[in-house]
Amino acid sequence: FPVTIWGVTWVSTLLASLEEAHGQARQPNQFPTPVGWGIILRYVSDDSIQVPLTPYRSRVFGGRIIKTHALWSEHHQRCIYLYRHPARVMASYWLMLKSYGQIDKSMKLEEFCLHKIYGLQAWRAHVNSWIYKSSPGSVICFLSYENLVADTAGCLQKIINLFGTRLTNNCLKKAVKASSRANMIQAEAFVHNTDIRHIEKHSKYNFVGQEKRGLEDANSISSLVKA
């Protein structure tokens, strides 16, 4: 059950939160666990990092939930594809790669957009592979990031209706609340400050930013995106 998206951390948190809420509904005496970075990886595997896939099988969706940034392949049969305005994608990706030292820190955003590996050309190939090269037999839930922001509960319900089991409204509300931007910022800060495995690697970059992070940069490349 791959999840391949721009905004992947948020959707991973939403799905992990659903699993937590569903588990607590089934076992009401279970001690509630806050959904943080480690809890996400318990429920959602990430095929881009060098760790084994989680053995956990989703109670909501069945099978493993796997986060991927890959192009479509024949193995992708039940998928969520969250797309976002390309200018916001480029600005966000540029900031992250600079922070991790994967591109030169002096590289301008306009240069980054023209980069053959990371730029708009690569973004276009990724989107096209899922729209035009995917099998008609693949069930893909295409969701707009902007729509997810505007109606998080409604979009999450759409995912559940397509792939999942029936859940109570209370479970849905708990998952949305646990995955709010404020809660995610707090959870990431806690990891940065307490988990020695993350302190050195991630201390200079936050995956969860303020709502308008990169907006000014994104607006500056609107002409490139339209071209």
Side-chain angles (χ1 to χ4, degrees):
F1 185 73
V3 182
T4 179
I5 54 177
W6 310 109
V8 67
T9 303
W10 184 22
V11 173
S12 297
T13 305
L14 282 165
L15 298 183
S17 298
L18 273 180
E19 295 292 333
E20 281 286 308
H22 184 51
Q24 289 167 19
R26 287 163 54 101
Q27 299 176 331
N29 295 325
Q30 177 183 342
F31 186 78
T33 306
V35 178
W37 258 223
I39 304 301
I40 293 172
L41 292 176
R42 179 188 301 171
Y43 297 121
V44 182
S45 296
D46 186 342
D47 72 356
S48 66
I49 59 178
Q50 303 303 311
V51 297
L53 297 180
T54 175
Y56 178 82
R57 294 302 196 273
S58 169
R59 293 174 179 174
V60 178
F61 301 105
R64 286 192 178 104
I65 301 175
I66 302 172
K67 178 181 78 173
T68 181
H69 295 286
L71 300 173
W72 181 85
S73 81
E74 64 275 11
H75 304 295
H76 297 148
Q77 296 300 318
R78 300 173 65 226
C79 312
I80 303 165
Y81 190 95
L82 182 68
Y83 57 94
R84 191 177 185 182
H85 192 287
R88 295 298 297 270
V89 172
M90 289 296 107
S92 177
Y93 199 24
W94 172 67
L95 288 169
M96 186 189 77
L97 292 183
K98 283 206 302 181
S99 233
Y100 276 90
Q102 290 185 244
I103 59 173
D104 195 306
K105 291 188 177 181
S106 66
M107 182 182 288
K108 303 293 185 184
L109 180 55
E110 291 80 2
E111 296 176 77
F112 180 76
C113 287
L114 301 175
H115 198 285
K116 290 184 178 180
I117 297 175
Y118 302 121
L120 285 166
Q121 179 179 322
W123 175 86
R124 187 179 294 109
H126 194 281
V127 174
N128 286 345
S129 80
W130 284 85
I131 296 177
Y132 300 113
K133 296 182 180 180
S134 57
S135 165
S138 295
V139 181
I140 305 174
C141 180
F142 289 96
L143 284 178
S144 158
Y145 176 87
E146 288 75 18
N147 287 343
L148 188 63
V149 171
D151 182 16
T152 307
C155 289
L156 195 54
Q157 185 64 65
K158 180 179 179 181
I159 294 169
I160 295 167
N161 290 345
L162 191 58
F163 298 118
T165 188
R166 181 173 294 185
L167 297 177
T168 65
N169 286 335
N170 192 40
C171 280
L172 186 65
K173 288 177 182 178
K174 281 185 175 181
V176 172
K177 183 177 180 181
S179 308
S180 69
R181 187 183 299 272
N183 284 344
M184 289 177 63
I185 288 173
Q186 185 178 15
E188 185 176 16
F190 181 78
V191 170
H192 287 341
N193 293 329
T194 60
D195 192 329
I196 197 169
R197 296 169 298 175
H198 294 263
I199 289 172
E200 288 301 318
K201 185 177 181 181
H202 298 297
S203 60
K204 296 181 181 178
Y205 180 78
N206 293 315
F207 279 94
V208 187
Q210 297 301 324
E211 185 178 357
K212 294 186 178 181
R213 181 174 73 176
L215 180 58
E216 187 176 340
D217 294 315
N219 289 338
S220 73
I221 56 169
S222 59
S223 59
L224 268 176
V225 170
K226 289 177 182 177

